[in-house]
Amino acid sequence: MLVATFQNVYEEYARSVYRFLLSLTGSEDLAEELLSETFYQAFRHIDRFEGRCSLYTWLCQIGKNAWLKACRKDKKYSTIPWENLSISDGKPSLEEQLADKELYRKACIVMQRLPEPYRDVFILHAVGEVKLKEIALIYGKSESWARVTYFRAKQQILREVMK
C-alpha cells in the first residue's frame, strides 16, 4: 500500500521537483540523476516528514541537499554550464540579447557565492517558487526572517551584478 501511495506522490511532484533541480543545476542529466536520488531518499525517510511544510518543499530540500552533496563530491557540478543558456527569439537586438545573457550569467555566479542561508533561501524562493512561510518552517525561523534573508540575498545579487 505504501508503494502505491508513494507512486502517486511521485506522479504528482516529479515534474515540479525536476524543474527545480534543473534550474538549480543547469544540467538535464544531473537534474534527472538528482530527481531519482531525491525520491529514493524521500521513500527511505518518509517517516521523517513532519508535515511542518508542504511535501513539495520537503522534496526540494532533499533535492537541494543531494545537489550540494554532488557539488562537494565532483567540483565540475558546482557551476552552471553557461553554454546551455538560450536566448528567446524576441525583438531585442543581438547586443541586448548578449547583455541580458551576460547579466544572467553574472547573477548566477553571484547567487552561487552567497553564504548560507542566503543562497538556499534565494534559490528556494526565486527558483523553486517555495513560499517564504514554508522556507521559514524548514529553518525553524519566523516568516519575517525568511523575508529579510531573501531581500538581503536579492540586494547582494543586484549590487554585484550592477557593478
Side-chain angles (χ1 to χ4, degrees):
M1 185 65 170
L2 178 62
V3 174
T5 304
F6 200 77
Q7 178 66 30
N8 294 341
V9 169
Y10 180 85
E11 289 170 3
E12 184 174 344
Y13 293 102
R15 181 173 290 151
S16 298
V17 173
Y18 172 78
R19 281 194 313 266
F20 169 73
L21 292 169
L22 182 60
S23 64
L24 195 62
T25 64
S27 164
E28 291 179 4
D29 293 337
L30 182 56
E32 287 177 16
E33 237 179 85
L34 293 174
L35 182 68
S36 296
E37 180 65 18
T38 298
F39 278 93
Y40 170 71
Q41 292 300 329
F43 184 76
R44 284 187 60 220
H45 302 291
I46 193 69
D47 58 317
R48 294 184 187 169
F49 178 65
E50 298 173 358
R52 295 185 313 161
C53 60
S54 73
L55 195 52
Y56 171 72
T57 302
W58 185 66
L59 291 168
C60 285
Q61 187 70 16
I62 293 170
K64 179 192 66 94
N65 289 338
W67 176 64
L68 291 172
K69 184 177 178 182
C71 287
R72 285 188 298 271
K73 184 178 176 183
D74 189 353
K75 294 292 182 190
K76 75 178 182 180
Y77 289 131
S78 63
T79 59
I80 294 175
W82 307 116
E83 66 275 5
N84 293 342
L85 293 177
S86 60
I87 297 183
S88 65
D89 295 333
K91 301 278 186 199
S93 69
L94 178 59
E95 292 81 13
E96 291 171 322
Q97 290 180 8
L98 290 174
D100 288 346
K101 185 175 181 177
E102 180 62 19
L103 285 176
Y104 178 75
R105 186 187 69 76
K106 282 182 179 179
C108 288
I109 289 170
V110 172
M111 180 181 65
Q112 289 180 347
R113 290 182 184 157
L114 288 174
E116 296 295 333
Y118 298 98
R119 181 180 59 227
D120 287 352
V121 170
F122 186 83
I123 290 171
L124 285 169
H125 186 63
V127 178
E129 299 177 355
V130 176
K131 294 178 180 164
L132 290 169
K133 184 176 184 177
E134 292 185 12
I135 293 170
L137 288 172
I138 290 171
Y139 282 92
K141 306 276 186 175
S142 68
E143 187 174 348
S144 59
W145 172 88
R147 286 187 193 289
V148 168
T149 304
Y150 175 75
F151 176 79
R152 288 178 180 167
K154 184 175 157 185
Q155 291 300 91
Q156 180 67 31
I157 291 169
L158 289 172
R159 272 193 305 274
E160 295 291 323
V161 168
M162 296 305 172
K163 279 186 177 179

